[in-house]
Amino acid sequence: MSKLEINQLSKRFDDTAVLENVSLVIKDGEFVSLLGPSGSGKSTLFHLIGGLFAPDSGSITLDGEDITGKRGKISYMPQSPSLFPWRSVLDNVLLAQELKEKPNRDKAIEMLNKVGLSEYKESYPRELSGGMKQRAAFVRSLLSPQKAMLLDEPFSALDEFTRMEMQKWLLSIWEEAKPTVLFVTHDIEEAIFLSDRILILGDRPATIVKEISIQFSRPRVEDIRLSEEFLHIKREIYQILRSDSHD
């Protein structure tokens, strides 16, 4: 079980209020995306959940345990794959396990095989494409012992075609293990395609201004991007983001 709860979280830096009374619940095995204007506090919220910052008020719990201000409780995948250049792909994906428990090399090799990287397990990051590096970083996150994952725009640096392929790949792997995921993105289509729910942050000081449930069946198929319902949700989210940024 890995239910993540955020209750009345607020944070300011000097005279700037970034987050104000943000509350949300992510259920066990749920994939939730976070959308918001640039600078609305999405990364700050991630850093608070990951324990890199302490909130001014409010609390964060994981399965009932208070993890407010505690590091190492959440698996985190940033925008950059952050692979160590001197370690092989296999050694990179084992890193999170090394920090917490005895590494399971057989499980790591099995996961690398599932994501099409088995023949690259002894290669180094410089020998991989951007998409391959992201796959390796995601395997590292999946193998970490933490119960929930934060994904911070992991595909933002990829070209559109590679990004769409990575979205489909991510869902195929996620649907096997069903980790609890909070996913930050600026891409409305990406959020709709991946998510069970979408939470929209308003401008600073940010609060959650809208929650949208995505009812498309899983596994998701590419054709839903062209459906009227998909386009309707996209227009709705665009109007919310546009109106909030102009208030």
Side-chain angles (χ1 to χ4, degrees):
M1 296 290 291
S2 47
K3 181 180 180 182
L4 180 65
E5 297 183 71
I6 295 167
N7 185 45
Q8 297 291 301
L9 211 63
S10 296
K11 181 66 178 178
R12 64 186 306 120
F13 295 100
D14 296 325
D15 295 329
T16 303
V18 179
L19 300 173
E20 185 174 0
N21 296 327
V22 173
S23 295
L24 61 92
V25 175
I26 304 174
K27 294 175 285 190
D28 180 51
E30 193 176 25
F31 198 121
V32 175
S33 286
L34 193 65
L35 283 171
S38 295
S40 62
K42 298 185 296 296
S43 292
T44 298
L45 180 58
F46 260 42
H47 291 151
L48 289 167
I49 297 171
L52 299 178
F53 300 152
D56 298 327
S57 60
S59 63
I60 304 163
T61 62
L62 184 62
D63 294 336
E65 177 191 354
D66 189 343
I67 63 168
T68 311
K70 297 179 181 179
R71 300 187 184 188
K73 299 294 185 178
I74 301 286
S75 175
Y76 177 69
M77 183 176 167
Q79 295 178 27
S80 166
S82 301
L83 303 176
F84 288 121
W86 60 88
R87 294 179 69 120
S88 69
V89 170
L90 178 58
D91 287 339
N92 264 291
V93 302
L94 286 169
L95 182 61
Q97 284 189 327
E98 288 176 9
L99 297 174
K100 292 288 184 180
E101 55 189 35
K102 184 178 179 180
N104 187 336
R105 294 178 69 86
D106 290 341
K107 179 66 173 177
I109 291 170
E110 177 189 341
M111 288 298 298
L112 288 173
N113 182 56
K114 285 184 178 180
V115 303
L117 292 177
S118 58
E119 63 183 284
Y120 296 94
K121 63 179 181 292
E122 300 302 336
S123 301
Y124 290 88
R126 64 179 179 273
E127 303 173 71
L128 305 183
S129 68
M132 293 162 73
K133 290 177 184 177
Q134 291 298 78
R135 278 182 273 165
F138 186 68
V139 169
R140 180 181 58 196
S141 296
L142 280 175
L143 289 171
S144 67
Q146 291 89 349
K147 299 176 181 179
M149 297 177 65
L150 305 181
L151 306 181
D152 189 1
E153 298 193 76
F155 308 143
S156 61
L158 303 177
D159 64 79
E160 184 175 3
F161 178 77
T162 304
R163 183 175 185 142
M164 291 174 69
E165 289 301 307
M166 287 298 295
Q167 291 166 9
K168 290 186 287 185
W169 169 84
L170 169 61
L171 283 187
S172 70
I173 298 298
W174 173 80
E175 283 168 2
E176 286 188 26
K178 286 287 179 74
T180 301
V181 172
L182 181 59
F183 187 96
V184 161
T185 179
H186 280 97
D187 189 312
I188 297 173
E189 282 197 14
E190 182 171 72
I192 300 170
F193 185 70
L194 294 175
S195 306
D196 296 311
R197 285 186 296 133
I198 297 172
L199 304 176
I200 301 176
L201 280 179
D203 222 340
R204 290 187 177 182
T207 58
I208 294 174
V209 296
K210 185 73 173 180
E211 174 182 317
I212 296 174
S213 179
I214 307 299
Q215 300 295 331
F216 296 114
S217 62
R218 296 190 185 275
R220 299 278 161 86
V221 293
E222 190 66 32
D223 289 351
I224 67 167
R225 296 178 190 266
L226 302 177
S227 70
E228 185 58 39
E229 184 180 356
F230 191 100
L231 297 174
H232 173 76
I233 297 169
K234 183 179 177 181
R235 285 193 295 269
E236 179 185 3
I237 293 173
Y238 175 77
Q239 290 297 332
I240 294 168
L241 291 170
R242 186 172 181 270
S243 63
D244 196 78
S245 65
H246 286 77
D247 285 346

